[in-house]
Amino acid sequence: MVYRVIGLMSGSSLDGLDIAFAELHETAGKWSYKLIHATCDRYSDELMSRLRDAHQLNALDYQLLHTYYGHYIGSRVNDFIETNILYHQLHLVVSHGHTAFHLPEKLMTAQLGDGAAIAAETKLPVVTDLRALDVALGGQGAPIVPLGELLLFNEFDYFLNIGGIANISARIKDKTDEYKMIAFDVCAANRVLNMLVLEKNLLYDEDGKIASSGSIHHELLRTLNNLNYYNQPYPKSLANTFGTDVVYPLIKSFSLNVEDALRTYVEHIVFQVKNAIINYNFSNVEAKLLVTGGGALNSFLIEKLRENLITIGLTITVPEDDVVNYKEALVMALLGTLRWREEYTVLNSVTGAGRNSIGGALWLGTEA
């Protein structure tokens, strides 16, 4: 079977809406993909601010933003279809939405971007709310991409996505000699780095050049590494507010210059990634790690990761730019397709839910 699907992702780094058009091929349970067109539709400063501060809105204003953002997503998809001449080629649109609240301990997660609005704009079948059922079943609802990694990138043992939040996945064999995935959020990443570099009126630290010019502040590094989250067992996940409301104010309390703050936080990310692999017995001899997300383009961060992870037997692969930038949107396309096929979309080995689940709301924008 061949499915032609648009996957949509808005990550915690708030750089924009990732849109990926892929052909997904399934043969006897084996999946492969062709990533044909992809782009990042950058947010305006005004929309970025509205999404960033959505958790502070009252109920009515939150719902109005939810509806507005759904229509916005739909209009961006229509523009993408027109630009790439995709009329009458699509089976499905799959939107992750933008996470405003993530409180799995209270059985709640909320992503902005009304699926009904997307379906009304595009007049296509749309899948949204991919995390909700897993959270309702007692799971973390995150990370959500490991099933896609297992099905689409099975030549790798481990997967590190460095976006606004860094998360790691491991492909391991269970007692029946079948592969399963274990994964969790490691730490806040680009969201904090980008907030720090804003003081220099930059959106991000290109290639980590500013961080590379700084020095590690060891007291701050120790304080960061002692945050309680890092001592919790998996499955576990982080809300965006961990970076904005806990980590960033902690860094600022040390009154460092931007260079030293960035350098120290890069070291913190590297330490936590390595620590996660060691503490949770993920490491294998001569294992292969695929690194994606915006942080994979930070050459200084990748250099430091290589130096540290080679000591425990992991070699790093940074794939072509389209996979680096759009892997999560590609995986959303796959998860929506699995939902369409009524197959599992979330693994409880990853999230800790009571069972695997077929998650996602389906909105039929097509006319009968």
Side-chain angles (χ1 to χ4, degrees):
M1 291 292 292
V2 178
Y3 300 89
R4 296 179 179 88
V5 188
I6 286 178
L8 306 166
M9 182 71 195
S10 177
S12 55
S13 55
L14 279 168
D15 49 355
L17 178 67
D18 290 341
I19 309 175
F21 169 58
E23 281 189 358
L24 300 168
H25 298 252
E26 184 272 334
T27 304
K30 303 295 184 182
W31 288 87
S32 61
Y33 72 92
K34 291 181 181 178
L35 186 54
I36 299 173
H37 300 293
T39 190
C40 180
D41 193 274
R42 299 291 176 182
Y43 292 138
S44 66
D45 290 344
E46 188 249 347
L47 181 54
M48 184 186 298
S49 177
R50 292 180 70 185
L51 294 174
R52 182 187 62 232
D53 299 334
H55 64 287
Q56 300 175 2
L57 297 174
N58 62 45
L60 176 58
D61 287 340
Y62 179 88
Q63 285 300 126
L64 290 172
L65 178 58
H66 180 57
T67 301
Y68 168 82
Y69 184 56
H71 285 283
Y72 171 90
I73 290 172
S75 68
R76 299 285 77 77
V77 169
N78 287 340
D79 290 345
F80 182 83
I81 290 170
E82 181 177 358
T83 298
N84 295 291
I85 317 175
L86 300 178
Y87 302 109
H88 312 300
Q89 296 186 47
L90 291 167
H91 294 105
L92 196 62
V93 174
V94 187
S95 176
H96 174 273
H98 188 84
T99 300
F101 298 100
H102 186 66
L103 300 167
E105 69 279 6
K106 297 183 182 296
L107 304 181
M108 191 275 278
T109 187
Q111 282 72 45
L112 289 162
D114 181 20
I118 302 171
E121 289 283 344
T122 62
K123 299 179 176 58
L124 290 165
V126 173
V127 173
T128 60
D129 298 319
L130 289 160
R131 299 180 188 269
L133 180 57
D134 181 80
V135 172
L137 290 168
Q140 291 289 310
I144 199 171
V145 298
L147 180 57
E149 292 166 338
L150 180 64
L151 295 177
L152 297 180
F153 302 96
N154 58 22
E155 68 271 32
F156 292 94
D157 305 288
Y158 308 109
F159 306 88
L160 177 65
N161 185 74
I162 310 174
I165 294 169
N167 53 67
I168 194 164
S169 311
R171 186 172 68 99
I172 63 175
K173 285 187 177 182
D174 61 18
K175 294 179 181 179
T176 65
D177 215 31
E178 293 291 326
Y179 281 110
K180 70 174 185 177
M181 298 296 286
I182 293 175
F184 56 91
D185 288 342
V186 176
C187 62
N190 291 346
R191 187 69 179 271
V192 173
L193 294 173
N194 293 348
M195 289 175 73
L196 291 170
V197 83
L198 271 177
E199 296 175 32
K200 290 185 173 289
N201 295 316
L202 298 171
L203 294 178
Y204 61 95
D205 180 11
E206 186 175 1
D207 293 328
K209 292 175 183 176
I210 299 173
S212 69
S213 69
S215 299
I216 298 170
H217 191 284
H218 292 282
E219 183 181 352
L220 171 58
L221 182 61
R222 283 192 296 272
T223 304
L224 287 166
N225 288 334
N226 285 330
L227 288 170
N228 181 61
Y229 176 78
Y230 305 126
N231 296 318
Q232 297 174 18
Y234 72 86
K236 59 183 180 178
S237 61
L238 287 168
N240 294 335
T241 51
F242 180 75
T244 59
D245 299 355
V246 177
V247 173
Y248 180 73
L250 174 58
I251 295 172
K252 295 305 294 178
S253 72
F254 279 76
S255 300
L256 304 181
N257 62 42
V258 174
E259 290 80 1
D260 291 352
L262 286 167
R263 178 66 185 91
T264 303
Y265 202 70
V266 165
E267 195 71 15
H268 172 66
I269 295 170
V270 171
F271 179 90
Q272 289 305 327
V273 169
K274 183 177 181 180
N275 198 51
I277 294 167
I278 293 172
N279 283 357
Y280 297 103
N281 299 314
F282 280 0
S283 56
N284 288 330
V285 176
E286 297 181 356
K288 295 190 293 184
L289 172 70
L290 182 71
V291 183
T292 56
L297 303 176
N298 183 327
S299 55
F300 180 67
L301 173 56
I302 295 301
E303 174 191 335
K304 293 303 171 186
L305 280 169
R306 288 189 198 279
E307 291 174 2
N308 279 268
L309 297 185
I310 194 65
T311 64
I312 56 172
L314 269 73
T315 56
I316 288 178
T317 296
V318 177
E320 59 272 20
D321 284 357
D322 274 357
V323 176
V324 166
N325 291 320
Y326 301 110
K327 187 189 80 173
E328 288 194 314
L330 169 65
V331 170
M332 292 309 119
L334 174 64
L335 295 182
T337 302
L338 293 173
R339 164 63 182 88
W340 182 262
R341 289 163 57 98
E342 298 187 356
E343 297 177 7
Y344 289 138
T345 60
V346 185
L347 302 174
N348 67 342
S349 65
V350 171
T351 67
R355 60 174 172 84
N356 295 339
S357 60
I358 303 171
L362 175 62
W363 309 86
L364 293 176
T366 50
E367 295 183 11

